[in-house]
Amino acid sequence: MKILISTDIEGVAGVTHAEQTRSGNPEYEHARAWMTDEANSAIRGAFAGGATEVLVNDSHGGFRNLLLDRLDARAQTITGKPRYLGMMAGVEQNCDAVYLVGYHARSQTAGVLAHTINSFAFRTVRVNGAELGEAGLYGALAGEFGVPVAMMSGDDVFLAETAPAFPGAIGVETKRAYGNAVCTSLAPSRTCALIEAAAKAAVSNVPDLRPFTIEGPLACELTTQTPGQADLFCQWPEMRRIDGSTLTFGAHSMQSLVRMLNCLSAMSFMLR
């Protein structure tokens, strides 16, 4: 049994402010240590549950957050960017299930630090009419490879949002959201114990899980934060503009759709 653990930071216990998610801030150093501890808990649990191999995908920001010298030596780590499969890189390596650790709710929700891929550029992302966050987008990408989501952790808003897409997946609530930058959090040690137990139990559930898939053809409707960003993104010939801040494009697969979104996200930095 091979498990891929995709690790983000906004859903980690104790993380509640943007400064904790950006390198160069003293608080970020604490947050990346908590992120590493939660990843280690998922690794330990997966192996205790019977996994024979574990990959860890560092999936936040520049994808260089985990403290590798503190990571469980039994796991291998995917780090750095750009990558074709982004937060789900590694799923193509014959994985049996995915764990989403430290994830957050989609943009425009009441979750802690809620956003979808790029809070500067993207307001909402819809695929075939369904609004999705990062978990939905990348969960569907994993589904394209026949891989189900078996475990996930983050705040209560994130868990409520994603539960319908991943029936049977075990959720761990790390904190309760009371605003974009306000939460009631479990202690990191308590959260790690819960993640380890969930990661262990999830291994035995994998054979009964179904991958989350979205039937094609795929149409993505993207609402940008400003009309200027839509101006920029419409430089792509495939884009069709609906109004000042809304545009659409088609894709033949979730991999193509996610790669396009990540390209647009990278383009947006020229407007910062």
Side-chain angles (χ1 to χ4, degrees):
M1 180 76 68
K2 187 173 184 178
I3 303 295
L4 172 65
I5 301 172
S6 177
T7 59
D8 207 346
I9 202 169
E10 286 88 355
V12 167
V15 175
T16 190
H17 193 278
E19 283 192 1
Q20 294 172 287
T21 71
R22 298 170 182 160
S23 62
N25 295 293
E27 287 191 76
Y28 165 75
E29 297 302 324
H30 290 293
R32 72 190 299 209
W34 298 336
M35 178 185 180
T36 303
D37 290 342
E38 291 192 10
N40 272 331
S41 298
I43 296 167
R44 288 195 302 270
F47 278 117
T52 55
E53 191 172 353
V54 174
L55 287 175
V56 181
N57 179 328
D58 188 329
S59 298
H60 172 68
F63 296 171
R64 293 181 292 111
N65 308 276
L66 293 171
L67 299 169
L68 300 189
D69 59 341
R70 287 180 42 177
L71 210 62
D72 191 313
R74 293 173 294 176
Q76 296 183 70
T77 309
I78 301 167
T79 183
K81 68 190 314 183
R83 319 170 183 155
Y84 288 160
L85 300 182
M87 299 175 77
M88 205 48 63
V91 73
E92 78 284 5
Q93 298 182 36
N94 298 313
C95 291
D96 296 289
V98 173
Y99 293 174
L100 308 178
V101 175
Y103 267 59
H104 53 82
R106 67 175 181 256
S107 177
Q108 305 305 303
T109 66
V112 173
L113 299 173
H115 67 279
T116 302
I117 299 179
N118 184 327
S119 59
F120 169 73
F122 300 163
R123 184 172 177 84
T124 59
V125 177
R126 290 182 173 84
V127 179
N128 289 3
E131 188 171 348
L132 298 177
E134 290 168 23
L137 291 165
Y138 281 102
L141 177 54
E144 224 168 50
F145 287 86
V147 180
V149 173
M151 195 277 283
M152 51 196 179
S153 69
D155 69 23
D156 58 314
V157 178
F158 162 74
L159 293 179
E161 170 192 316
T162 52
F166 310 129
I170 300 175
V172 175
E173 184 179 300
T174 61
K175 53 197 172 189
R176 296 192 67 81
Y178 291 97
N180 183 260
V182 185
C183 72
T184 299
S185 177
L186 297 180
S189 58
R190 174 61 176 157
T191 301
C192 286
L194 292 173
I195 288 173
E196 184 171 347
K200 178 180 179 180
V203 174
S204 61
N205 293 342
V206 170
D208 299 322
L209 299 177
R210 290 187 176 183
F212 172 55
T213 58
I214 301 175
E215 294 296 323
L218 302 176
C220 181
E221 180 181 293
L222 173 65
T223 304
T224 61
Q225 296 286 6
T226 69
Q229 291 158 344
D231 292 341
L232 174 64
F233 298 160
C234 283
Q235 298 300 311
W236 281 93
E238 295 85 355
M239 293 293 169
R240 183 170 65 88
R241 197 162 188 167
I242 296 175
D243 59 33
S245 297
T246 308
L247 45 92
T248 65
F249 64 91
H252 66 271
S253 67
M254 280 303 300
Q255 180 178 168
S256 294
L257 189 149
V258 167
R259 286 173 67 175
M260 176 61 84
L261 290 173
N262 286 330
C263 286
L264 297 176
S265 176
M267 285 175 65
S268 73
F269 280 86
M270 71 177 292
L271 299 179
R272 286 181 181 267

